[in-house]
Amino acid sequence: MRTGPALSSPIGGGWETIATLTANDGSVAHPECARLMQSTVLMRDVADAIHALCLLHGRLPGLVDHALARNAMPGCSGWLEEAVSGFALERAVLAKLAAAVGPTPSTPGQADSEATILAQRHALATLAQSDRNGCAIGAAIALILDWSAVRAVLDRAAERLGVGAAGMQLPNTSETATVVATVAAQPGPERAMMFGAQQVLAQHHGLWNLLEARALARNNG
């Protein structure tokens, strides 16, 4: 059984850059992501996060599906196929948790929040379908690396709900680092890869910001 990708690898260069981006700008560094791991956090806040993640990543086709369909990078197809297969299981986990946790909690500005997340979903799909060689694979890489932190929140929610969640089956660190090195061998695609990765991390950061603001609106209203 696979586990989530750890951000360490003997491959340097582009990998070190993308791993540093994920560690510094990814979900693991956001306080709302950390807060949702606490046993004392209100379940309505957990429910809000689960439903938001479902809206962003729970529908087909997703980011990795788009990236595979548009892939033009030699040596990346196998990794993308594995990512597509593994992320299908993650969508199943999201659906299972959404059913277990109940409806989205009533929150001021609900319609605006949903519109924001749908716009984020559109932005991710656009990145994954970019004609700029390297952008789509960079977006997919960032999603897979950042998902470890997201999945930690989901696993904690599953524990509190008494719901079993299958282990992740996403590409491991070595496989991902090899793909990064393959793309980084060409300056143009390397820049596009980094751009795609940065944009995905920025969208995730924006989602956590939104969830943090929604929690404050609910709990302090």
Side-chain angles (χ1 to χ4, degrees):
M1 180 180 295
R2 287 189 183 280
T3 57
L7 299 187
S8 61
S9 170
I11 299 176
W15 171 257
E16 291 182 358
T17 301
I18 210 163
T20 299
L21 279 172
T22 305
N24 292 343
D25 301 333
S27 296
V28 71
H30 200 288
E32 182 64 8
C33 186
R35 188 182 75 87
L36 289 167
M37 293 286 294
Q38 297 173 7
S39 60
T40 55
V41 71
L42 296 171
M43 281 306 298
R44 61 176 176 259
D45 293 348
V46 176
D48 201 34
I50 290 170
H51 286 291
L53 286 165
C54 279
L55 191 57
L56 185 62
H57 288 300
R59 301 179 183 180
L60 278 171
L63 189 159
V64 289
D65 305 283
H66 285 307
L68 176 60
R70 295 293 292 270
N71 178 50
M73 294 296 301
C76 296
S77 293
W79 184 91
L80 281 166
E81 289 169 358
E82 186 176 359
V84 165
S85 177
F87 210 81
L89 298 177
E90 297 306 304
R91 278 193 294 271
V93 169
L94 280 172
K96 188 175 185 179
L97 290 175
V101 81
T104 302
S106 177
T107 308
Q110 181 65 33
D112 288 341
S113 294
E114 289 184 2
T116 296
I117 298 171
L118 288 173
Q120 289 183 310
R121 178 175 170 80
H122 177 73
L124 294 178
T126 299
L127 286 169
Q129 297 177 88
S130 173
D131 291 328
R132 187 178 175 190
N133 206 13
C135 182
I137 188 67
I141 287 166
L143 173 60
I144 296 306
L145 292 177
D146 201 46
W147 197 256
S148 289
V150 176
R151 183 57 192 270
V153 172
L154 298 181
D155 286 342
R156 185 72 186 95
E159 290 175 10
R160 294 184 66 183
L161 292 165
V163 174
M168 288 200 303
Q169 299 291 320
L170 298 174
N172 64 30
T173 302
S174 178
E175 294 165 335
T176 305
T178 298
V179 167
V180 170
T182 299
V183 178
Q186 305 173 62
E190 181 183 23
R191 288 191 293 271
M193 175 176 64
M194 295 305 171
F195 173 80
Q198 288 171 333
Q199 293 304 305
V200 167
L201 297 176
Q203 293 298 335
H204 279 186
H205 188 89
L207 181 68
W208 297 120
N209 283 346
L210 176 62
L211 291 170
E212 185 177 46
R214 283 172 58 80
L216 287 171
R218 274 193 309 273
N219 302 329
N220 297 332

